[in-house]
Amino acid sequence: MGYFGLTVLAIVILAGLASVIYQRTGMLADARRFHAPGVLVDIGGSRLHAYLSGEGSPLVVFEAGVGATSLSWTLVQPEVAKLTRTLSYDRAWLGWSDPIHTERDTRTLVEELRRALRPLEPSIFVAHSFGALIATAYAARYPSEICGMVL
């Protein structure tokens, strides 16, 4: 690798390092400016952000689409919460939830949600897009914990 190749490699490394620093700085600034509206629920070493509102039964669990957060439900959740208890949450790596360094497959997502929901009663799942995959997988694995679905 000649002088030109080393120069290009150095530029690529510096650009990568600058982008990592920029991203981290932005994340820290956002964390200071935008506080989680809900609570962080420990699911065994990591935490998922959950926003619970309303009173009554059954619990309505809102499941967002891929890459989406609990904020997807900010217009719907308050209306449903007038009738019953509701919960929206952020999957790991999204919103205010912790990054979790485990395999990110449907089974893992279902188990993380189940640990966050414990010990709540059977729920109605309201799911959008990718969230429907998680909701149906949850229902298939734990049918006694689901009393309805809206997909």
Side-chain angles (χ1 to χ4, degrees):
M1 189 181 318
Y3 177 75
F4 179 75
L6 289 175
T7 302
V8 169
L9 180 61
I11 290 171
V12 168
I13 290 171
L14 288 174
L17 182 60
S19 65
V20 167
I21 292 169
Y22 178 80
Q23 180 67 31
R24 292 281 181 181
T25 304
M27 287 173 59
L28 291 172
D30 286 349
R32 283 190 303 275
R33 290 178 59 208
F34 304 107
H35 299 283
V39 297
L40 293 172
V41 179
D42 188 338
I43 60 167
S46 296
R47 302 168 307 161
L48 296 183
H49 169 257
Y51 180 68
L52 191 63
S53 64
E55 294 179 11
S57 186
L59 173 70
V60 175
V61 177
F62 293 101
E63 185 67 59
V66 70
T69 67
S70 57
L71 296 177
S72 298
W73 300 105
T74 55
L75 297 178
V76 177
Q77 187 172 2
E79 295 302 314
V80 177
K82 292 175 183 176
L83 305 171
T84 191
R85 191 161 49 148
T86 63
L87 178 127
S88 60
Y89 78 104
D90 300 329
R91 289 186 295 273
W93 293 93
L94 297 173
W96 290 275
S97 291
D98 291 341
I100 299 177
H101 300 283
T102 59
E103 190 172 330
R104 308 310 306 153
D105 59 12
T106 306
R107 182 173 177 264
T108 302
L109 298 175
V110 165
E111 293 307 317
E112 290 171 359
L113 175 57
R114 187 166 191 249
R115 287 193 301 263
L117 287 176
R118 284 288 184 195
L120 300 175
E121 73 274 358
S123 307
I124 296 174
F125 273 54
V126 176
H128 168 258
S129 187
F130 177 76
L133 179 66
I134 297 168
T136 54
Y138 193 107
R141 187 159 177 94
Y142 303 107
S144 65
E145 298 178 16
I146 303 291
C147 62
M149 291 185 127
V150 178
L151 307 175

